[in-house]
Amino acid sequence: MNSEIEKGRPGQFFEDFLKEQGDYEETTEQAVKRVLAWQLSEAMKQQGISKTEMARRLSTSRSQLDRLLDPKNERVTLNLLSRAAQAVGRTLKLELQ
């Protein structure tokens, strides 16, 4: 195996492949959205928060909450993500790398 690949961090080769294919940004965005949706769902379960209660805490509808929790829905605002995190006692942390 190429020693350059072995020295890199795990997943680096796959990231390089996605960049070459032009799919890196889209794939990363989808992965982040899936993780955030999963984390919110898990926090709701752990705290016993129903969808109706969560929608009330966010001052929104259940259908809007369903869109937020749908990992395939890419049209979610940072404001709504931040409010959802606060509603389950968490904070949303974003950083540029």
Side-chain angles (χ1 to χ4, degrees):
M1 184 170 243
N2 186 337
S3 62
E4 191 174 301
I5 294 172
E6 290 175 16
K7 291 180 184 178
R9 61 184 173 71
Q12 186 173 2
F13 179 73
F14 185 62
E15 287 177 11
D16 291 342
F17 170 76
L18 290 174
K19 287 175 184 176
E20 288 174 12
Q21 298 299 311
D23 295 331
Y24 180 75
E25 287 79 17
E26 181 181 346
T27 302
T28 301
E29 289 172 10
Q30 290 172 352
V32 168
K33 176 60 174 95
R34 286 177 185 266
V35 169
L36 289 172
W38 176 79
Q39 287 176 329
L40 284 171
S41 294
E42 288 299 304
M44 289 171 59
K45 286 178 193 173
Q46 291 171 354
Q47 297 176 31
I49 302 171
S50 68
K51 285 186 176 183
T52 302
E53 172 59 17
M54 185 68 166
R56 186 193 65 74
R57 290 182 184 191
L58 295 173
S59 300
T60 192
S61 65
R62 281 238 358 224
S63 60
Q64 178 66 21
L65 178 63
D66 286 337
R67 286 190 289 277
L68 172 65
L69 297 175
D70 179 358
K72 295 177 184 173
N73 185 344
E74 300 170 3
R75 303 188 91 197
V76 177
T77 65
L78 290 176
N79 179 277
L80 183 56
L81 286 170
S82 180
R83 289 182 20 232
Q86 290 174 356
V88 294
R90 305 266 177 95
T91 57
L92 180 65
K93 180 181 175 183
L94 300 172
E95 63 184 62
L96 296 176
Q97 293 184 344

